[in-house]
Amino acid sequence: MKTKSLLVIKPDAVKDKKIGRIIQTLEENRFEIKGIRMKRFTKEEAEEFYSPHKGKHFFEKLVNFIISGEVVGILVEKENAIEKLRELIGDTDPEKARCGTIRYMFGKSITENAVHAADSEESFNREVTFFF
Ligand code: CMP
């Protein structure tokens, strides 16, 4: 059964003009694009979006980074979309990401790692409301 997932292109990749190449990578991997929205998170929204990481040493840095510019939310559909999209984005740390993954291609560091993707159905249901 086809399911949906959410990819967020982060401010580093937007500033580096990688939106087009990231969408191309999604389409080449047979994700259907169901919605696209660009926005800038407020600090409050960013803290809510990343609330599962509250209390971690990198939380403040993460929030400050995600509000530093525009982000692009992309709603995608595919068989097993959540798992398949996590595979396609690669390891959180671009240095460890497999060749061919989005973070391998466009990520620069563990903070500036180009994209975020929902990691479970619960996360997807929560995160999608920030964009659609
Ligand atoms: P993301 O998929 O957006 O989900 C949470 C983010 O926290 C993650 O990508 C990284 O950008 C960031 N992150 C995770 N671990 C660390 C870490 N050890 N140091 C700094 N940032 C981190």
Side-chain angles (χ1 to χ4, degrees):
M1 197 185 71
K2 284 189 177 179
T3 55
K4 291 190 169 63
S5 189
L6 180 79
L7 182 83
V8 180
I9 305 181
K10 297 189 183 184
D12 57 323
V14 173
K15 283 178 189 147
D16 291 343
K17 305 201 185 304
K18 302 301 182 195
I19 297 171
R21 290 194 57 196
I22 291 171
I23 292 174
Q24 185 181 354
T25 305
L26 291 171
E27 292 188 323
E28 283 171 355
N29 283 274
R30 299 199 178 87
F31 285 88
E32 270 183 59
I33 310 295
K34 293 291 182 180
I36 300 181
R37 185 178 160 211
M38 183 177 244
K39 68 178 278 182
R40 192 163 183 160
F41 278 125
T42 63
K43 189 155 199 219
E44 292 67 34
E45 271 183 309
E47 285 173 352
E48 186 55 35
F49 186 83
Y50 276 127
S51 58
H53 297 287
K54 215 168 193 159
K56 294 186 183 164
H57 68 92
F58 55 83
F59 183 70
E60 201 182 336
K61 192 173 174 188
L62 178 59
V63 167
N64 286 332
F65 168 60
I66 209 74
I67 64 172
S68 68
E70 301 278 320
V71 295
V72 181
I74 305 178
L75 184 64
V76 296
E77 190 176 89
K78 187 185 166 92
E79 296 279 328
N80 245 335
I82 290 172
E83 193 189 323
K84 294 289 181 204
L85 187 59
R86 294 289 295 184
E87 275 173 33
L88 182 61
I89 71 169
D91 196 282
T92 308
D93 182 353
E95 295 273 316
K96 296 184 188 142
R98 215 170 21 84
C99 177
T101 61
I102 292 176
R103 283 168 170 165
Y104 174 88
M105 292 189 279
F106 307 117
K108 290 184 285 201
S109 69
I110 199 159
T111 302
E112 299 197 9
N113 62 356
V115 291
H116 166 86
D119 65 1
S120 66
E121 204 180 322
E122 294 69 37
S123 304
F124 167 72
N125 288 335
R126 197 179 64 79
E127 293 173 7
V128 75
T129 64
F130 287 83
F131 290 93
F132 300 103

